[in-house]
Amino acid sequence: MNALDLLLWVVAPYVALTVFVLGHLWRYRYDKFGWTTRSSQMYESRLLRVGSPLFHFGILVVILGHVGGLVIPKSWTEAVGVTEDAYHLVAVVLGTVAGVCTLAGLVILIYRRRTVGPVFTATTRNDKLMYAVLALVIVLGLAATVAANIIGGGYDYRSTISPWFRSVFAFQPKAELMAGAPPLFQAHAFSALVLFAIWPFTRLVHMLTAPLGYLTRPYIVYRSREDRVGSRSPGRGWAPEDRP
């Protein structure tokens, strides 16, 4: 290893995690009303109806796949009867399909944001940076999967990248494991660290919240402007309410 390896795979992960945690605490404390996706559905919905489900369902499978591959050790899956060949086949097939869906959905969303005038006007520099980094992470991850496991002879990231990932959270980072990983996997991992570092300051914060308050908040009463059948004929314009 050299100084660059230590910087990339020891220092950078802890900087990204620190910014990720403290950034969310700061954002929630000082920008609680800005903790939103800033939905643009009211401006355009046709492309959104296609791109949004593709992206969200694809990214959900990608996240679950990363949790299973990075967090769960190989020995655990083998202990329950899942062979390495079976795991590898399922991971590559599902990962590739999910990655393609995620990338296709993101391309549609970026195209919509660039070509629909009101949506583009509502796009901030922060949004542009977030979309660029997110697209880079997805493209590099998909390229690493295709290059190593479909075009190449295969690469067992659960023997190198996964132990490095777990060692970071155990505060015993094994940078030498990432130092020997293929360049595409290194680029994908580092771009993910950059994404986590900017995450608290983008619209991605909405992924860490759920609208649980809707379950307990009071009902909102809406009154129709249309004439309704009743015992009393509707008045014309404003009419003062009789008080006892």
Side-chain angles (χ1 to χ4, degrees), residues 81-123:
V82 179
T83 64
E84 182 59 24
D85 290 338
Y87 179 91
H88 181 77
L89 177 62
V90 173
V92 170
V93 173
L94 287 182
T96 303
V97 173
V100 170
C101 290
T102 304
L103 183 59
L106 184 62
V107 168
I108 294 173
L109 293 177
I110 294 177
Y111 172 81
R112 168 183 177 269
R113 190 161 289 275
R114 183 63 184 86
T115 58
V116 178
V119 180
F120 181 72
T121 302
T123 303

Side-chain angles (χ1 to χ4, degrees), residues 25-122:
L25 294 176
W26 175 87
R27 179 82 181 270
Y28 190 78
R29 175 66 178 82
Y30 294 102
D31 189 29
K32 188 178 296 186
F33 289 103
W35 194 292
T36 174
T37 60
R38 295 197 304 274
S39 175
S40 57
Q41 184 177 1
M42 63 181 295
Y43 301 131
E44 196 280 337
S45 59
R46 182 176 62 87
L47 291 172
L48 187 64
R49 283 197 298 267
V50 178
S52 183
L54 264 178
F55 173 78
H56 284 91
F57 287 127
I59 200 67
L60 178 61
V61 176
V62 169
I63 291 174
L64 292 176
H66 277 67
V67 170
L70 297 176
V71 178
I72 302 176
K74 183 193 299 188
S75 59
W76 292 17
T77 54
E78 291 177 346
V80 296
V82 179
T83 64
E84 182 59 24
D85 290 338
Y87 179 91
H88 181 77
L89 177 62
V90 173
V92 170
V93 173
L94 287 182
T96 303
V97 173
V100 170
C101 290
T102 304
L103 183 59
L106 184 62
V107 168
I108 294 173
L109 293 177
I110 294 177
Y111 172 81
R112 168 183 177 269
R113 190 161 289 275
R114 183 63 184 86
T115 58
V116 178
V119 180
F120 181 72
T121 302

Side-chain angles (χ1 to χ4, degrees), residues 215-237:
L215 301 176
T216 57
R217 76 176 188 180
Y219 290 108
I220 298 178
V221 179
Y222 292 92
R223 295 183 179 181
S224 174
R225 294 185 178 183
E226 299 178 357
D227 295 341
R228 291 177 293 177
V229 178
S231 58
R232 196 168 118 184
S233 60
R236 298 182 59 187

Side-chain angles (χ1 to χ4, degrees), residues 162-219:
S162 298
W164 165 79
F165 179 83
R166 294 191 295 269
S167 71
V168 170
F169 290 92
F171 298 101
Q172 295 178 344
K174 300 177 180 179
E176 67 277 5
L177 295 177
M178 277 301 299
L184 274 176
F185 283 90
Q186 291 182 343
H188 175 58
F190 185 75
S191 63
L193 293 177
V194 175
L195 179 63
F196 282 116
I198 68 171
W199 189 302
F201 315 105
T202 67
R203 64 176 62 204
L204 293 177
V205 293
H206 77 278
M207 292 182 62
L208 303 180
T209 56
L212 300 179
Y214 286 101
L215 301 176
T216 57
R217 76 176 188 180
Y219 290 108

Side-chain angles (χ1 to χ4, degrees), residues 146-163:
V146 173
N149 298 294
I150 297 179
I151 299 177
Y155 176 70
D156 185 11
Y157 69 91
R158 297 177 61 183
S159 298
T160 55
I161 300 176
S162 298

